[in-house]
Every structure is written in structure tokens, then in C-alpha cells.
């Protein structure tokens, strides 16, 4: 159990704050109670730009966050590629949010791309796969994946569904080329490091709250963050902890339970 109170919160959203378009019970109250604590919303989902994420949180009933409080794997990917090559050329397979984020620091070029970026969301088809694998195999483009999730829960065509995640969508590129991608999202460190830099805190000062042991918790624990798993999303109450993964500091059924557990360890931390 961690012994010092954190000074900042990093929050996953899907399965922690909402399911689809509805807030999870207690999540709106929870966010009110941490309104004055430094916090940031972190998502492996590259589909929406931060403004759309802020819109969604507001529509669901949360206070609208500042845009700097929202960090997506698409932004992190753009940041990473710009750090590797200023004015990079890219070929992106993914949703509009990914194309938009990459276009802020790079330029699309299906002939001479430095990077083939594969993101979660719609976009993959036979032509884009063919173009991408030829760029990798014949032009030496680097293969980049926004996030490694195998699948995700989301609303699709009006019904709640399991959709292929970023890891599934990059898989055809891996099979076709034999090349392993550079992966950006959780549990890789980049997204967390950008979050810490924005918050101006060290890993030890952060509490990461998430619903997935393999991404949210594993990546944060590897950096030395405090971690809280809420069993309101992917990981169900009663499910056994995966033996290979680090245990979270707090393993709770809900955000309300996290507040109570904190009250015992750090009285008054939640206002
Ligand atoms: Mg989640």
C-alpha cells in the first residue's frame, strides 16, 4: 500500500467515468470532489479529438475540462513522431481524430510516408492495408500503432458492442510485413509521461485510476505511480487478478469505494 497521498490524478474514462453515453453511478460526484486537485483525462482511444472528448464529458453531466486536461493516444502519437522527425510525412489508417492530430505536426503523404500509423476506429480496408504494407516493405516506413488494446466496448450503429481495438487493427500489418510496430498508448510509458509533464508532477505523485489491469494499471505501476483499479469496466467484481500483472494499490468496486478507502488512509483527501 502506498504511504504518501498523491498530489495529482490521472483518469481513464471509459469504464471509469462512463459506459457509452451514460455516467457510471457516483462518477459525477467523484469528479466534483476532485475538481480542485490537479487532474487529467487519459485515453488510449485516438478516435475523438480533445475538444470532442470535452464535449462528451460535458454532455454526460461532468464539468467541462480544459482541453489541456484531455490527452489522447492520437495526440501522443503526433508528439512522438514530431520528436523523431520534424515535419514528418505519414500515412494514417484510422478515424478522423487521428488524421487531425497527426496533421498538426506532420503532413499526409501516401507515396513517401516516414510512418504508417494505424489507429483504433474505422478506416482499415483492403486498399489502406495494401498501401501501408508497401510503404513499410518497399519504402522503409516505420509502423506505428496508437494503442495495443485487443478489443474495446463502445456504441456502434446504435447498439452496445465489442469493437476491434488498436492492437487488432494493426495485426494485419504485422502479419503482412513481419514488422513489429512502435506502440504509443497505455501500457507504454509515453502517454503517462506526457500526462505527468502537463501536470508538472513526478510518477510517485500521481494516482492512476483505470478499469483495465493490462493497460491502465500495468503501465502506471511500471513507472512507479500509485494505482487504483475500479471494477466498473472491463474487469468485473470477483474476477481473479491476472497473476502476471502488478497489483494495484487500491482494488475497489467503484469510485465511491475508492473515496472510502482513501478516507481511511488519507482522511480529508477527497473534499
Ligand atoms: Mg477504460
Amino acid at each position: 500500500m502506498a504511504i504518501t497521498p498523491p498530489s495529482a490524478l490521472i483518469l481513464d474514462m471509459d469504464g471509469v467515468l462512463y459506459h457509452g453515453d451514460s455516467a457510471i453511478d457516483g462518477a459525477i460526484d467523484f469528479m466534483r470532489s476532485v475538481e480542485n486537485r490537479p487532474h487529467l483525462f487519459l485515453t488510449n482511444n485516438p478516435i475523438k479529438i480533445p475538444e470532442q472528448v470535452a464535449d462528451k464529458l460535458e454532455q454526460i453531466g461532468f464539468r467541462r475540462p480544459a482541453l489541456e486536461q484531455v490527452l489522447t493516444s492520437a495526440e501522443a502519437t503526433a508528439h512522438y513522431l514530431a520528436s523523431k522527425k520534424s515535419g514528418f510525412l505519414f500515412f494514417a489508417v484510422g478515424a478522423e481524430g487521428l488524421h487531425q492530430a497527426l496533421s498538426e505536426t506532420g503532413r499526409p503523404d501516401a507515396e513517401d510516408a516516414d510512418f504508417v500509423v494505424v489507429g483504433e476506429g474505422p478506416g482499415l480496408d483492403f486498399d489502406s492495408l495494401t498501401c501501408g504494407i508497401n510503404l513499410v516493405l518497399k519504402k522503409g516506413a516505420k509502423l506505428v500503432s496508437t494503442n495495443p488494446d485487443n478489443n474495446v466496448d463502445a456504441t456502434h450503429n446504435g447498439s452496445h458492442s465489442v469493437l476491434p481495438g488498436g492492437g487488432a487493427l494493426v495485426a494485419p500489418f504485422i502479419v503482412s510485413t513481419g514488422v513489429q510496430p512502435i506502440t504509443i498508448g497505455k501500457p507504454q510509458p509515453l502517454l503517462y509521461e506526457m500526462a505527468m509533464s502537463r501536470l508538472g508532477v513526478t510518477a510517485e505523485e500521481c494516482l492512476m485510476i483505470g478499469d483495465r489491469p493490462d493497460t491502465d494499471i500495468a503501465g502506471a505501476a511500471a513507472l512507479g505511480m500509485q494505482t487504483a483499479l475500479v471494477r466498473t469496466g472491463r474487469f468485473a467484481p470477483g474476477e481473479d487478478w491476472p497473476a502476471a500483472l502488478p497489483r494495484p494499490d487500491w482494488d475497489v468496486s467503484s469510485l465511491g469505494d475508492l473515496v472510502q478507502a482513501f478516507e481511511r488512509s488519507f482522511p480529508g483527501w477527497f473534499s
Side-chain angles (χ1 to χ4, degrees):
M1 176 65 76
I3 47 164
T4 52
S7 52
L9 291 176
I10 300 180
L11 297 124
D12 177 54
M13 291 178 283
D14 202 356
V16 173
L17 300 179
Y18 53 72
H19 289 138
D21 294 324
S22 330
I24 290 175
D25 271 357
I28 291 175
D29 286 344
F30 177 88
M31 287 313 303
R32 271 196 207 110
S33 75
V34 296
E35 225 166 65
N36 297 320
R37 299 264 178 200
H39 63 275
L40 188 144
F41 302 98
L42 192 67
T43 178
N44 262 6
N45 183 331
I47 296 173
K48 291 188 163 74
I49 60 172
E51 189 149 16
Q52 293 168 317
V53 174
D55 288 346
K56 172 166 180 166
L57 286 168
E58 191 175 31
Q59 279 157 16
I60 292 176
F62 294 95
R63 189 176 66 98
R64 185 183 178 82
L67 293 186
E68 316 81 71
Q69 287 179 292
V70 179
L71 187 54
T72 74
S73 65
E75 278 181 280
T77 301
H79 177 86
Y80 172 82
L81 298 186
S83 77
K84 292 292 163 196
K85 186 174 183 187
S86 153
F88 65 88
L89 305 180
F90 67 89
F91 176 70
V93 181
E96 187 51 37
L98 177 64
H99 289 266
Q100 235 171 300
L102 296 177
S103 297
E104 279 176 25
T105 48
R107 197 156 51 78
D109 189 325
E111 300 291 316
D112 292 304
D114 304 298
F115 302 100
V116 171
V117 183
V118 184
E120 201 164 289
L124 177 64
D125 60 15
F126 192 82
D127 286 347
S128 57
L129 177 59
T130 301
C131 181
I133 66 178
N134 277 279
L135 284 164
V136 171
L137 289 174
K138 295 193 171 163
K139 302 262 178 98
K142 298 261 189 303
L143 182 60
V144 179
S145 163
T146 58
N147 62 299
D149 301 63
N150 50 2
N151 57 44
V152 293
D153 301 304
T155 306
H156 183 62
N157 293 339
S159 61
H160 199 69
S161 306
V162 180
L163 304 184
L169 293 164
V170 77
F173 292 84
I174 300 172
V175 174
S176 303
T177 60
V179 170
Q180 288 299 319
I182 301 156
T183 302
I184 304 297
K186 298 174 280 185
Q188 298 301 317
L190 186 75
L191 207 51
Y192 301 97
E193 285 165 356
M194 284 179 69
M196 289 189 277
S197 150
R198 279 201 196 167
L199 289 164
V201 293
T202 63
E204 292 71 23
E205 292 170 316
C206 284
L207 171 65
M208 171 77 209
I209 306 177
D211 69 315
R212 286 181 86 130
D214 57 340
T215 54
D216 299 324
I217 304 303
L223 290 171
M225 290 183 182
Q226 296 178 43
T227 54
L229 180 100
V230 286
R231 291 182 181 240
T232 47
R234 256 317 168 91
F235 201 62
E239 203 170 327
D240 287 336
W241 192 261
L245 296 178
R247 285 189 172 273
D249 298 292
W250 286 274
D251 181 348
V252 292
S253 61
S254 67
L255 289 171
D257 284 357
L258 180 63
V259 172
Q260 285 181 17
F262 252 66
E263 195 51 38
R264 291 191 287 276
S265 299
F266 311 126
W269 198 87
F270 285 100
S271 55

